[in-house]
Amino acid sequence: MPSYQPPLRDMRFVLHELLGAVEQLQEIPAHAELDASTVDAVLEEGGRFAAEVLMPLNQSGDREGCVLDPATHEVRTPAGFRQAYAQYVAGGWPALSTDPAFGGQGLPHVLNQCLYEMMNSANQAWAMYPGLSHGAYECLHVHGTPEQKAMYLPKLSSGEWTGSMCLTESHCGTDLGLLRSKAEPQADGSYRITGNKIFISSGEHDLAENIVHLVLARLPDSPAGSKGISLFAVPKFTVAADGTPGARNAITCGRIEEKMGIHGNSTCAMDLDGAVGSLVGAPHKGLAAMFVMMNAARLGVGNQSLGITEVAYQNAVQYARERLQMRSMSGPKAPERAADPIIVHPDVRKMLLTARAYAEGARALSLHTVLLLDRELAHPDPAVRAAAADEVALLTPIIKAFVTDNAWLATSHCLQVYGGHGYIAEWGMEQYVRDARINMIYEGTNTIQSLDLLGRKVLADNGKRLEAFGKRVAEFIEEEGTDAAMQEFVNPLADLGDKVTQLTTEIGFKAMGNADEVGAAAVDYLRIVGHLAFAYLFARMAKIALAKQDSGDPFYTAKLATARFYFAKLLPETATLIRSARAGAAPLMAMDEAHF
Ligand SMILES: Cc1cc2nc3c(=O)[nH]c(=O)nc-3n(C[C@H](O)[C@H](O)[C@H](O)COP(=O)(O)OP(=O)(O)OC[C@H]3O[C@@H](n4cnc5c(N)ncnc54)[C@H](O)[C@@H]3O)c2cc1C
């Protein structure tokens, strides 16, 4: 059975030593009193909850799955999930970073991100129930009417109610402009919504007394396509004037999906048969309103993959220390034993270090980005807010796609470390591979993320956001350019920065002649820019580690070794990716469709 140690040391390193998070947050009036010891105490308690309460339910939840009662349409979650959720609510965790005006504790989002990383490591399927609530909370907080906020936010914040996100229909996932669910306005100002949604995570369950579904549907006079979609809040139980749940609403779960992983999370087909809802935001602007939830969820999905990479890595290391097979090629390392532990073999180390570097790079990038999100949402200076918003917009698709693609590779490597035992359920590794796979698909497939990055976030704004990020990188290179010890990091970083600029210009020109050039290059491009972001952060982490490597704390020598591994063995992938991106659309489009 896998085990899990919350990576508190690395979280503290990233927050305090790399990012100076507390100082940055103190510029925000609401966090002026925040101190490092509060941050550390929250991380420690959150880690304990994840490791002691959620982790023991991960394998059993996977085996047991969720069960639908077709007569009542109620869903039973695996044994222990309800009790764990009750403990989560009693501990006040759902309110960690919600608004004090609605019962929240008002702590920074970056702390919530750390909490979720640990909950995802311990049990991704369970963590999706509160995770979707948090997204629904954010969406209503921005776009809800005062009545909707008063009705829903305190309950979502306390965790008494949960949320869901109802977008997908059987004929439309990526292209939501095709959706057919209908909303009929009623004389009392409410709406009756009818349609069928599929694949709705946490759409029905037994953890909370009510579920607030955020549903996309069309008003009768709506324009065709994505400009004609509106957003509605549709509670499972309609809400009485005093805020208590009233009658059962006509939104029910008709089926739960049999699927590859995350079995402990209910993936529901939801039937709406004139369900009562209220409009969220302006008519026909539902997709824009939903983007608040989708952007939060995209960062959340990257965080799921970070969590899984970390726990898979920890267990693979433990196994590699204990499993004895063959002798080291450079001579026995444990001559007193029948064979050497497999951790002596170079390729086993490569697999472990790949997972480690992907986890540490993802943690640095995610916390850097969510710290910017805190500044975007609440910094007193509008210029700081605007710059932070631009960088968050640029980095969000990278976190969603780069981190989840990496987790798929990393969990597969970690499984491989176990040899045949990795393929056997008892060890828990095959579950991590299965669970990690969905993260590349939902919340917009990784291809869609790459189109968002290259098409919308880079080319459509003439590279301004990318330039601003490039400036951040260039300033660091300038500062460190004269330090001999930093050359091994700064030179390849500078080289990649130049190549990204060149490649972006080249694709931009080609795209003017043929828009398919964007689609042909986008996936490679996202991975290249993902590496640029990782290389920048690893170089900064290496700088700190170099300064402290003689401190006697092995953390810094390990950090330096990981950074060196990243630059030597993972970053060079960008050369191949650049070649592939430059090859353009022709090799993809030349084949006649009939010949596939
Ligand atoms: C377990 C699970 C949980 C989910 N949870 C939720 C949820 O809570 N709420 C919700 O609303 N939905 C949810 N989804 C749905 C999920 O978001 C969609 O499956 C996803 O967005 C892809 O849509 P699709 O399945 O229709 O694939 P399609 O849109 O049909 O895409 C098929 C393939 O075509 C590619 N493609 C499509 N368009 C383009 C293009 N323009 N350029 C290049 N490639 C393209 C895609 O990348 C993909 O590889 C969930 C799905 C699963 C499996």
Side-chain angles (χ1 to χ4, degrees), residues 132 165-168 172-175 198-201 259 262 267 438 441-445 447-448 451:
L132 280 146
M165 181 173 165
C166 300
L167 287 63
T168 306
C172 74
T174 301
D175 189 354
I198 63 162
F199 297 166
I200 305 308
S201 300
K259 56 192 191 287
I262 52 165
T267 304
I438 185 58
I441 298 171
Y442 57 21
E443 284 320 322
T445 63
T447 303
I448 297 306
L451 291 171

Side-chain angles (χ1 to χ4, degrees), residues 136 207 274 356 387 392 443 510:
L207 306 186
R356 181 183 177 116
V392 171
E443 284 320 322
K510 284 207 272 186

